[in-house]
Amino acid sequence: MTITYSQEQLSTVAQQIIANTPNKTLCFYGQMGAGKTTLIKAIVSALDGSGTTNSPTFGIVNEYHNSNEELLAYHFDFYRLNDETEALDMGLEDYLYANTWVFIEWPEKINSLLPDDCCNINISIIDEKTRSLTIS
């Protein structure tokens, strides 16, 4: 499935992703500035997330809750990871099998640790205001 969208369409795109992913582990691929974090914010919002959603670049993982304060998702940003051992040391496997949404930015940094059934979302920049994503 391929979707071309603008910033104004993020809410609709988030709903389409939620409806068309076979599981809750989503890996986001795309160059710096492609809009991975922005898209994840829209998905968290569509899932009734509460509080602030931002990139966990420095903390590596953020935890999000819904409006009932129940755990909704984990959001990883592995951009600054030096090797896969760091992900294992932080307990990545526990997060992956926690039966909640898991959003992973820069999953190529931990490729051998990813579950076989994760859903890949590749984001491409079309122009300053337009993106294209492919769900596989």
Side-chain angles (χ1 to χ4, degrees):
M1 167 188 248
T2 300
I3 303 168
T4 300
Y5 62 97
S6 66
Q7 179 92 20
E8 295 78 26
Q9 297 168 308
L10 275 173
S11 171
T12 301
V13 171
Q15 291 292 345
Q16 288 176 301
I17 291 170
I18 293 165
N20 290 289
T21 55
N23 62 51
K24 293 181 174 183
T25 301
L26 310 182
C27 295
F28 294 82
Y29 295 86
Q31 68 187 61
M32 186 77 69
K36 296 179 292 292
T37 301
T38 302
L39 182 56
I40 291 169
K41 286 180 183 183
I43 294 170
V44 169
S45 178
L47 291 168
D48 191 31
S50 64
T52 304
T53 307
N54 39 23
S55 179
T57 301
F58 297 101
I60 299 182
V61 64
N62 282 348
E63 188 175 291
Y64 305 126
H65 296 86
N66 63 21
S67 58
N68 294 326
E69 293 303 315
E70 298 164 330
L71 180 62
L72 176 67
Y74 294 111
H75 176 189
F76 293 91
D77 184 335
F78 290 124
Y79 180 74
R80 297 191 183 281
L81 219 64
N82 292 314
D83 61 56
E84 291 181 340
T85 307
E86 291 178 55
L88 287 173
D89 289 346
M90 64 174 286
L92 176 66
E93 291 173 325
D94 293 334
Y95 291 105
L96 291 175
Y97 301 103
N99 194 29
T100 189
W101 288 92
V102 177
F103 308 121
I104 302 173
E105 295 187 53
W106 304 99
E108 56 271 32
K109 296 274 198 158
I110 60 158
N111 202 39
S112 72
L113 303 176
L114 295 172
D116 292 334
D117 64 346
C118 60
C119 182
N120 296 318
I121 299 175
N122 294 285
I123 303 172
S124 300
I125 299 172
I126 303 297
D127 60 39
E128 189 177 311
K129 296 182 179 185
T130 311
R131 304 293 189 262
S132 176
L133 68 79
T134 304
I135 300 173
S136 60

